[in-house]
Amino acid sequence: MIAVLAGTSDARELALLIRQAGYSLLTTVVTESAAKSMQEAGLPVQVGRLSAADFVDLVRTKNIQAIVDASHPFAEEASKNAMSGAREAGVPYIRYERESLSYHDHPQVTMAADYAEAAELAAQKRGVIMLTTGSKTLAIFAKRLLGLPDTTLVARMLPRLDNMQKCEELGIEQKNIVAMQGPFSKALNRALYEHYGVTLMITKESGKVGAVDEKLEAALELGIETIVIARPQIEYGVKFSDFTGVLRELDRCLKGGIDHAVSHGVYTVYGTTAGN
């Protein structure tokens, strides 16, 4: 059995391909929303954060032969726990991570090494700032930006009760909260920027399936400055940015049966054909 750290749309597609290749698997996710997505695709799922010790226990109780980490590029703790657990349990660890989109040389884009640096840069620029990095690090930005002259912080996040409570505790006004479940089209991002009169957008270097980050593209088209927070620098070891590489590595490690189509770089995802 293969354990797949999932939660994103491309992770779900990778899990389906792993199953299609003949492997049994278990996906692990953090939220009930992500679990529902896996269940709708017919994938077995376990919900909850896993420590390194939890991964070791999972390997032993579920007879896990390999861990495929397809978690979000910013799920740093999850990846480190999975690597540590795989190492202790003596099973292969394989990382899948979507490719980065390169905007480093764009005149409207400023790269930040971390959240604190992004907050400091935003404090220097001021204006109407839309934060699209989620609620987990909201306090870093709220503490630095709220109360600054000529500065409005608009926070976009998932429509969850705990997120709304966090906004209230931090002093973010209701009128400056965008509580919506994505994905967001370029048109919707553009409409939100125009509605709030956004002059600065803050996002993460997450990458995007299909090579387009709609919120970033919409901002740049409107001439809105953007601060992009760089991905955490993690030494994953075995890492791929394509599904075929992961499947071939599983085959190499476990000598499993990758089907003829996958071995030739062509496979089916949700009824569509893809390849290298």
Side-chain angles (χ1 to χ4, degrees), residues 51 65 74 87 114 118-119 148-149 257:
S51 66
Q65 296 172 285
F74 280 79
R87 185 166 53 249
D114 52 33
L148 282 180

Side-chain angles (χ1 to χ4, degrees), residues 17 28 37 53 70 98 105 107 113 130 145-146 156 180 189 244:
L17 287 175
T28 70
S37 177
R98 61 185 72 161
D105 298 326
M130 178 167 283
L145 300 174
L146 290 182
R156 193 173 89 181
M180 298 177 68
N189 279 296
T244 304

